[in-house]
């Protein structure tokens, strides 16, 4: 099977990492809109327009399924993409909410949703989790985590001070934390250290479970081939793929 | 006189602030490409392409002069803009370098150039200052300053820690510092506190001096009218204009 993975930039490689680890696909076509990244600070209409343009890109490939790794795309553009796409389209928000349901039985447990401004404002995670019966939800957009990860500051005093800025005012003791942005899994460990009792929900792992359940996919035995594309010079994407995934595509 | 001011996003309002303070124009048409901001992490061809698209926007207005407030645009797209524009086009880099020449006589004085990755990589400031005879140049891209300013953290521990991260390794004692990004004037005071002996060069002030010298412009006596446009919903731009410029356009 051949999957398309769409992301606003390089962050979706954290989802690709999970897809590779579970050998779900024979081939992955990755497209990052690096010329217009980030989406998470942009408005709904812009995100939908850019997502539909990316769909045109994927129509050039015979993909069996399109995975939107970007939470901001998943928050706003899934209905439009599904309407226009000749293949199934999956976002990461529904899988993330289902992962909460699978992992945290107590519906009174405090859940902290972390995401971009766009994702949090969409209320998509909040609505799904409320429908699943969760009563104690907090949501937070730690906007600076994205550029900090892109700057490669995955630990150290800048990240620590920024975590204090966003997390010190959090007045719940979360039992579950949704890492609702592709960049956040790269600082999963310091987030876990800050909230040692919380179960962290990772979009990549959540979408793998969701795809396995939805498509009843067998693991492929061979390695997945990965092709990387971006809307500007792909050198930066390739460099980060090398760094994050430990491979030279 | 009517000026167009082009920026990648909201940052160019710091240049508008200087233009307003000096009453250079009767009207300013501001266009921020907020749907694709930031430019400073993008590659040269992307920046040129987006700048030429912005030029088409300005052709709808009878402007007398186009000012590129964005340093990344000024670094890469000025020749192409000048070739295609039916009006004079000014960037902020040449004015910034000229301001150094006017303010710092000692050619051996250490000069620190701060800018986005794109601006620093272009070597435009470095080349101009070398041509003016300055020998002791350092350049630095404190990438996180842009999102920190956009997050409104204009002072406090996150900014302090990030300044330490970028500035502690600087091994010169700069006599002049170029604030080579529209966002940096908003944290001019903490930068000045870190380098108390340095003269800070601000793109907005530099372009005002340059325009006055180049166009021999009289001050207009009336207030400047400001019209704000952006490539997505302009609410955010208007909110920040209100905050930064202290006006409700």
């Amino acid at each position: 099977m051949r999957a398309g993975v769409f992301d606003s930039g390089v962050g979706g490689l954290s989802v690709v990492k999970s897809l590779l680890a579970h050998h779900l696909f024979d081939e992955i076509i990755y497209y990052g809109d690096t010329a217009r990244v980030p989406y998470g600070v942009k408005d709904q209409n812009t995100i939908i327009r850019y997502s539909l343009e990316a769909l045109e890109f994927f129509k050039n490939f015979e993909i069996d399924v399109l995975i939107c790794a970007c939470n901001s795309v998943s928050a706003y553009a899934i209905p439009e993409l599904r309407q226009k796409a000749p293949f199934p389209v999956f976002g990461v928000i529904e899988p993330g909410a289902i992962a909460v349901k699978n992992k945290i039985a107590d519906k009174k447990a405090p859940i902290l949703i972390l995401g971009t401004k766009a994702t949090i404002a969409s209320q998509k995670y909040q609505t799904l989790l409320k429908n699943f019966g969760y009563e104690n939800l907090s949501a937070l957009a730690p906007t600076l985590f994205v550029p900090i990860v892109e700057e490669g500051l995955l630990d150290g005093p800048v990240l620590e001070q920024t975590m204090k800025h966003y997390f010190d005012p959090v007045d719940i003791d979360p039992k579950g934390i949704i890492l609702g942005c592709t960049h956040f899994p790269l600082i999963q460990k310091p987030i876990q250290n800050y909230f040692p009792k919380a179960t962290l929900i990772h979009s990549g792992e959540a979408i793998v479970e969701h795809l396995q359940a939805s498509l009843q996919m067998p693991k492929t035995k061979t390695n997945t081939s990965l092709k990387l594309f971006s809307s500007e010079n792909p050198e930066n994407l390739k460099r980060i793929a090398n760094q994050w995934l430990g491979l030279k595509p």
Side-chain angles (χ1 to χ4, degrees), chain A residues 157-187:
Chain A
V158 171
L159 178 63
E160 275 165 34
Q161 197 62 55
T162 308
M163 286 186 27
K164 273 177 68 67
H165 169 73
Y166 289 116
F167 291 156
D168 280 2
V170 170
D171 55 1
I172 58 163
D173 187 17
K175 182 112 201 297
I177 298 178
I178 294 180
L179 302 175
C181 170
T182 52
H183 286 71
F184 299 169
L186 281 103
I187 49 170

Side-chain angles (χ1 to χ4, degrees), chain A residues 218-232:
Chain A
K219 290 190 181 187
T220 62
K221 282 177 191 163
T222 54
N223 280 333
T224 307
S225 131
L226 174 61
K227 291 202 170 71
L228 297 172
F229 299 89
S230 65
S231 52
E232 64 172 12

Side-chain angles (χ1 to χ4, degrees), chain A residues 81-177:
Chain A
L81 286 169
R82 284 190 175 147
Q83 209 181 341
K84 301 233 159 100
F87 32 70
V89 176
F90 290 86
V92 289
I93 291 190
E94 201 185 346
I98 291 171
V100 171
K101 199 173 69 166
N102 292 340
K103 287 182 179 164
I104 298 166
D106 177 9
K107 297 293 166 75
K108 291 185 171 25
I111 310 289
L112 177 62
I113 303 157
L114 303 179
T116 64
K117 280 183 183 162
T119 299
I120 297 302
S122 79
Q123 296 276 334
K124 286 285 150 59
Y125 277 115
Q126 293 93 315
T127 305
L128 284 168
L129 289 172
K130 271 183 207 153
N131 289 347
F132 290 158
Y134 292 91
E135 297 166 9
N136 194 351
L137 305 175
S138 295
L140 185 67
T143 307
L144 288 172
F145 286 180
V146 173
I148 284 174
V149 166
E150 297 213 332
E151 189 73 338
L153 303 179
L154 305 183
D155 50 34
V158 171
L159 178 63
E160 275 165 34
Q161 197 62 55
T162 308
M163 286 186 27
K164 273 177 68 67
H165 169 73
Y166 289 116
F167 291 156
D168 280 2
V170 170
D171 55 1
I172 58 163
D173 187 17
K175 182 112 201 297
I177 298 178

